[in-house]
Amino acid sequence: MDKNVQYINAKGSLLDGNRIMTINKKNEKKQIYADNIVIATGMRPKTIQEVPGMTENSITSDDIFWLNKPPGKTLVIGGSYVALECAGFLSGLGYDTTLMLRSIPLRGFDQQMADLVLRHLEHSGVHIVRGTPKSNTKQKDGRLEVTWQSGSDVYDTVLLAIGREANTKDLGILDIGVDVDQNTGHIVGGYGGESERTSIPNIYAIGDILHGRPELTPVAIQAGKLLARRLYGTSLEAMDYELIPTTVFTPLEYSCAGLSEEEAESRFPDEIEVYHSYYKPLEYSLPHTSSEHCYIKVVCLRQFPHKVIGIHITGPNSGEVLQGFAVAMRTDSLTLQVLQSSVGIHPTTAEELVKLHITKRSGLDPTVSEC
């Protein structure tokens, strides 16, 4: 008990709009009544049921930090940001790491930036395999032989990071009439004008299980805080799900806010301008580290005043750089002129954003010369 919050270590399911049945490890049942109910059960990693041996001989991204021995030679399967992050840090720790991709990496992100991230992973030692697994067989020595369309190899660990699914199946929500997306199992919100309110007025959902919302921890935390304040009458502020910044924490960080170039072109056909540059971070200069994958892209509307609708950065500490620019974007007044008229802090990566002046359409070399 802390701050008048009672913690119950038990599994729960909904009986109706106000009652929850809990059952603990001792199989003891107890009913709980509540005026309002908030569902925040999150998501769980998917497995590949149809591939022989894959479920029983693989771990997921949830398991990697609970291993009682080093993972050794590892195959990471998946193209999600979790897959790329796991492959990156395992390789960085010195383990022989292979990343298996079925299709494009970082689906939903800007694909030019995703390609830079993938090429840097490969440059830093991660092996890239294109294909889908056909089998995962445990050998006598405990190692795992994985086969795919064009080859096979033996690994100490196989890690699945092929996405996550909503943890809503055993909550009883369908039985009491909560609207759920039939394809994903996510809870549909937006009822009564509130993003988190479900089809039952006093039941809410926050976080990854909310249909059509960013599956990011900071988003769930912010939405939960604001919902709690509304429920207890201390505020009317609702969560704004637009312009959410995020970072992919691969060895070369990729941070973004707003629209990808593909999304911008789809939403505003022939109305966007893309300013870009390759740059060399100061910390790369002394050790002569390659900066060929360090890149900045700002997507603007072509019409004056050239509103900024997307910012993308690959490079060291890009998350630290982007946070401030993401705040500026939320004011709805960040334009190309505001960027270009700002004085840069020298010598920083952030400075490169206010120095942008070359467009993709111009065809000019966007490589920044060193100071």
Side-chain angles (χ1 to χ4, degrees), residues 103-124:
S103 56
I104 63 173
L106 298 179
R107 187 178 299 277
F109 289 86
D110 188 290
Q111 283 304 293
Q112 181 188 9
M113 309 305 288
D115 182 65
L116 287 168
V117 171
L118 191 65
R119 284 196 280 133
H120 186 270
L121 276 177
E122 195 166 18
H123 177 79
S124 62

Side-chain angles (χ1 to χ4, degrees), residues 104 108-114 254 259-269 272 274 297 299 312 360:
I104 63 173
F109 289 86
D110 188 290
Q111 283 304 293
Q112 181 188 9
M113 309 305 288
Y254 164 37
L259 301 180
S260 67
E261 186 175 350
E262 293 90 349
E263 290 172 324
E265 189 59 57
S266 175
R267 194 177 299 187
F268 306 102
I272 67 168
V274 178
K297 175 197 294 190
V299 184
H312 303 264
K360 273 193 170 184

Side-chain angles (χ1 to χ4, degrees), residues 152-348:
S152 66
D153 204 346
V154 177
Y155 302 93
D156 298 302
T157 301
V158 175
L159 188 155
L160 295 178
I162 56 172
R164 301 170 76 86
E165 55 190 0
N167 191 28
T168 57
K169 292 179 181 178
D170 301 320
L171 301 180
I173 55 178
L174 289 175
D175 297 333
I176 65 170
V178 174
D179 187 6
V180 174
D181 182 82
Q182 296 302 309
N183 294 322
T184 65
H186 287 73
I187 296 173
V188 178
Y191 286 86
E194 289 189 72
S195 294
E196 297 80 24
R197 190 190 292 261
T198 72
S199 52
I200 297 181
N202 66 307
I203 297 181
Y204 301 82
I206 59 172
D208 295 355
I209 58 169
L210 192 58
H211 181 63
R213 300 305 182 190
E215 296 169 4
L216 298 166
T217 300
V219 172
I221 293 172
Q222 180 80 337
K225 285 180 180 178
L226 295 176
L227 176 59
R229 291 168 187 168
R230 295 200 304 277
L231 291 177
Y232 285 93
T234 61
S235 172
L236 296 176
E237 184 181 359
M239 178 67 185
D240 182 356
Y241 289 95
E242 297 297 319
L243 293 174
I244 303 294
T246 191
T247 295
V248 180
F249 289 100
T250 38
L252 183 76
E253 289 184 18
Y254 164 37
S255 296
C256 60
L259 301 180
S260 67
E261 186 175 350
E262 293 90 349
E263 290 172 324
E265 189 59 57
S266 175
R267 194 177 299 187
F268 306 102
D270 300 318
E271 296 178 26
I272 67 168
E273 196 76 84
V274 178
Y275 289 80
H276 66 150
S277 74
Y278 287 92
Y279 69 99
K280 186 159 192 170
L282 179 66
E283 62 202 80
Y284 282 19
S285 297
L286 284 177
H288 300 288
T289 302
S290 171
S291 61
E292 63 179 304
H293 306 121
C294 295
Y295 180 72
I296 295 175
K297 175 197 294 190
V298 171
V299 184
C300 309
L301 293 180
R302 194 174 299 172
Q303 185 176 355
F304 186 83
H306 312 299
K307 180 182 176 181
V308 174
I309 57 176
I311 299 179
H312 303 264
I313 311 171
T314 52
N317 311 306
S318 65
E320 303 286 355
V321 174
L322 187 68
Q323 182 70 81
F325 288 95
V327 171
M329 288 182 70
R330 287 181 54 78
T331 66
D332 204 36
S333 59
L334 183 61
T335 65
L336 180 67
Q337 280 67 30
V338 171
L339 272 181
Q340 292 180 334
S341 64
S342 300
V343 177
I345 302 171
H346 185 73
T348 65

Side-chain angles (χ1 to χ4, degrees), residues 89-136:
F89 79 72
L90 287 170
S91 177
L93 289 171
Y95 300 111
D96 185 351
T97 305
T98 298
L99 176 67
M100 180 179 288
L101 297 171
R102 181 188 63 181
S103 56
I104 63 173
L106 298 179
R107 187 178 299 277
F109 289 86
D110 188 290
Q111 283 304 293
Q112 181 188 9
M113 309 305 288
D115 182 65
L116 287 168
V117 171
L118 191 65
R119 284 196 280 133
H120 186 270
L121 276 177
E122 195 166 18
H123 177 79
S124 62
V126 175
H127 311 294
I128 308 296
V129 170
R130 299 279 182 174
T132 54
K134 297 300 181 183
S135 65
N136 181 357

